[in-house]
Amino acid sequence: MAVNESAENYLETILILGKRLPVVRSVDIAEELGFKKSSVSVAMKHLREKGHISVDRTGFITLTLSGREIAEMIYERHQLLSAWLVQLGVPEDIAAQDACRIEHVISRESFQAIKVHVGNAVS
């Protein structure tokens, strides 16, 4: 299930857009990320070849089971880390930027430890 940071960002973006839009298309992803549609098309081709997304004949993009697992893992990390940093006093915009960096490099073990700690701190 190892994918690079760029692929993780695309998968997370598809997940987030899927919560807001009835369908997700390459143009939606390009707009959301501020990338050229041609760059997004190349990335979608790679994600499709790796089995993380499917694209129907009308261009609608859907996460596969493996793509959804990765996207949800990254999204959970982002949400928790961002909220935790804000709780520590970091401004929201900086917390979101830092969470975006951390979410890709943190080990499962470290994230689980933070998750447990944050859960205990809130209780």
Side-chain angles (χ1 to χ4, degrees):
M1 187 162 75
V3 293
N4 64 31
E5 181 177 333
S6 176
E8 289 175 347
N9 280 333
Y10 278 112
L11 294 170
E12 181 184 24
T13 300
I14 294 166
L15 178 72
I16 292 167
L17 287 172
K19 293 174 186 279
R20 290 195 330 233
L21 303 172
V23 294
V24 178
R25 303 164 300 149
S26 289
V27 68
D28 302 319
I29 298 165
E31 202 171 281
E32 182 76 11
L33 297 174
F35 295 164
K36 292 180 183 175
K37 188 175 179 312
S38 58
S39 298
V40 172
S41 293
V42 169
M44 294 305 104
K45 178 180 181 243
H46 292 302
L47 291 173
R48 190 175 63 247
E49 289 171 350
K50 292 182 187 253
H52 297 310
I53 64 167
S54 62
V55 183
D56 72 13
R57 59 181 175 75
T58 58
F60 298 159
I61 299 167
T62 308
L63 293 169
T64 63
L65 182 59
S66 67
R68 181 165 294 282
E69 286 176 2
I70 295 165
E72 287 177 349
M73 175 192 70
I74 295 299
Y75 186 67
E76 177 191 27
R77 288 177 176 196
H78 183 88
Q79 294 294 97
L80 185 131
L81 292 167
S82 184
W84 185 45
L85 291 169
V86 168
Q87 188 178 26
L88 293 173
V90 178
E92 281 189 40
D93 59 331
I94 294 172
Q97 291 171 10
D98 289 345
C100 196
R101 290 185 199 101
I102 296 166
E103 70 196 24
H104 301 287
V105 297
I106 193 168
S107 68
R108 286 185 190 271
E109 295 82 6
S110 293
F111 179 73
Q112 281 306 117
I114 291 171
K115 192 173 171 180
V116 168
H117 175 74
V118 170
N120 290 337
V122 173
S123 301

